[in-house]
Amino acid sequence: MKTIKGPAIFLAQFADDAAPFNSLKNICTYMADLGYKGVQIPSWDPRMIDLQKAAESKTYADEIAGIVAESGMQITELSTHLQGQLVAVHPAYNELFDGFAPANLKGDLKGKSEWATQQLKYAAKASSNLGLNAHATFSGALMWHTVYPWPQRPAGLVDTGFTELAKRWLPILNEFDSYGVDVCYELHPGEDLHDGITFEMFLEKVNGHKRANILYDPSHFVLQCLDYLQFIDFYHDRIKMFHVKDAEFNPTGKQGVYGGYQGWVERAGRFRSLGDGQVDFGGIFSKLSQYNYDGWAVLEWECAIKHPEQGAAEGAPFIDAHIIRVTEKAFDDFAGMGADEAFNKKILGI
């Protein structure tokens, strides 16, 4: 077994134009002072990194790693959540995602997908230049508008959708494979990959590609009423990243999983700061340790109520308290007798 690395923090929810959140150096100093040992960097934010430059210049990548190291931390992974979303977008969502891409691609569905694909390929090389072996992203979605359909889905629609999704992602997965980096999809509502079954269907279409893996985030499973502990039993071989994020689901006689179009505070299901929700983190850390999870525990802070600075301050000690220093021996070794084959046969009467 291996001891999980951490605590680390995803910087996306904290990056801001106001100090100390306005530059990689400042934000790393701030987070290190709170007790974090690693940072996950949003690659779309120029205040944090220039993704293309990190791919094309090892010197620049070393400079970025050096800025993080100066604070006593290290980079855990890069993230392309926004770019990954654009790899596959249904036309109904075209304008809604314009803000995820350069302004000159506004309304250009094909152009945004091509740009996003190139961004992912930059992320593969940049990750390699930074010495990283895992990468965080979203799958995008062609079928989300049919997730609970009326009228019913036409026969073959899901198969066609996953075939197309795989077609778009296979060149990206192959690029990551050439650099020895795993692509970790955050299974998330709004994405075609949002639970175990959809991940399995995608995995079949990409021929079990070894770089197609999972960013495990239990908060999204709480809001789907999915057994997030058993999920680890099923998919631990593919879990290469871990977002430590809490959530709660409190259905009423008026609303349930779908939330009734309410804002975050009024929804039955909502994200919470660590310890304020319903996630059994003791069970999660135990299972991941049991299955030799060899990665980081990364706080992704999202909460409908608590201020982010309080959430960040509370997050590091919370994660640290849940990391299990795995044992190197059995608890009953003191009673061991030592044996050889002859002795074993004697005990068995053979």
Side-chain angles (χ1 to χ4, degrees):
M1 295 185 294
K2 298 176 182 177
T3 298
I4 295 172
K5 297 188 282 285
I9 189 166
F10 187 25
L11 299 179
Q13 286 82 4
F14 298 92
D16 191 85
D17 288 334
F21 308 111
N22 58 340
S23 72
L24 183 63
K25 178 179 176 61
N26 289 343
I27 201 170
C28 283
T29 299
Y30 180 90
M31 295 303 178
D33 288 343
L34 294 181
Y36 290 99
K37 299 177 182 178
V39 290
Q40 187 177 101
I41 298 178
S43 68
W44 61 85
D45 193 324
R47 293 167 298 196
M48 302 292 112
I49 193 172
D50 182 325
L51 180 60
Q52 181 176 349
K53 192 173 180 180
E56 295 175 344
S57 170
K58 181 66 165 62
T59 299
Y60 173 76
D62 289 342
E63 290 173 0
I64 291 293
I67 290 171
V68 177
E70 285 177 6
S71 67
M73 294 195 293
Q74 64 186 90
I75 301 171
T76 64
E77 303 95 5
L78 299 179
S79 155
T80 53
H81 281 83
L82 301 195
Q83 301 99 311
Q85 181 77 61
L86 297 184
V87 170
V89 174
H90 186 274
Y93 298 94
N94 187 7
E95 287 75 17
L96 291 173
F97 287 127
D98 275 342
F100 287 12
N104 66 298
L105 295 175
K106 183 176 181 180
D108 183 354
L109 196 64
K110 182 180 179 182
K112 283 184 289 193
S113 180
E114 292 173 347
W115 173 83
T117 298
Q118 182 59 62
Q119 284 281 296
L120 266 294
K121 291 180 178 180
Y122 285 146
K125 180 64 183 301
S127 294
S128 176
N129 283 343
L130 290 164
L132 307 175
N133 58 17
H135 180 75
T137 197
F138 279 149
S139 69
L142 300 173
M143 296 171 284
W144 182 251
H145 63 297
T146 73
V147 70
Y148 196 79
W150 176 252
Q152 63 184 272
R153 284 183 292 260
L157 181 139
V158 172
D159 186 72
T160 300
F162 274 105
T163 297
E164 177 63 25
L165 192 69
K167 178 183 176 182
R168 299 188 189 194
W169 274 101
L170 264 172
I172 299 170
L173 290 168
N174 289 337
E175 185 78 1
F176 273 87
D177 190 38
S178 70
Y179 292 108
V181 180
D182 291 319
V183 177
C184 301
Y185 297 100
E186 182 171 354
L187 306 183
H188 187 294
E191 311 300 320
D192 282 341
L193 306 191
H194 55 269
D195 59 11
I197 292 296
T198 52
F199 178 74
E200 287 181 15
M201 289 191 288
F202 176 74
L203 195 61
E204 181 180 0
K205 291 293 186 180
V206 295
N207 303 312
H209 203 294
K210 67 180 181 180
R211 296 302 173 188
N213 289 290
I214 295 171
L215 191 172
Y216 176 76
D217 184 332
S219 68
H220 303 302
F221 297 154
V222 168
L223 303 193
Q224 294 182 66
C225 300
L226 185 154
D227 187 335
Y228 55 85
L229 290 176
Q230 190 179 46
F231 181 95
I232 300 174
D233 294 326
F234 288 144
Y235 302 110
H236 56 86
D237 286 341
R238 293 279 180 171
I239 295 174
K240 306 296 185 180
M241 290 178 58
F242 173 27
H243 270 175
V244 189
K245 192 167 83 175
D246 212 342
E248 61 184 355
F249 180 62
N250 299 305
T252 69
K254 292 188 175 184
Q255 62 157 301
V257 171
Y258 302 110
Y261 296 114
Q262 299 303 294
W264 278 114
V265 174
E266 294 79 23
R267 292 187 196 182
R270 57 190 185 181
F271 301 127
R272 299 300 310 275
S273 280
L274 296 186
D276 295 342
Q278 298 166 347
V279 174
D280 177 8
F281 286 107
I284 289 171
F285 276 83
S286 292
K287 279 189 177 291
L288 289 176
S289 297
Q290 169 191 341
Y291 288 121
N292 293 309
Y293 170 69
D294 187 22
W296 286 83
V298 181
L299 169 64
E300 183 184 22
W301 178 89
E302 291 180 358
C303 185
I305 297 173
K306 187 168 287 183
H307 193 281
E309 292 180 24
Q310 183 179 357
E314 294 174 350
F318 183 95
I319 293 173
D320 197 47
H322 280 83
I323 291 176
I324 299 168
R325 179 186 176 189
V326 297
T327 184
E328 298 168 352
K329 60 181 181 179
F331 59 85
D332 57 355
D333 278 354
F334 72 92
M337 298 178 62
D340 55 31
E341 185 66 11
F343 183 70
N344 289 340
K345 289 181 177 180
K346 183 176 181 180
I347 295 298
L348 295 171
I350 57 176

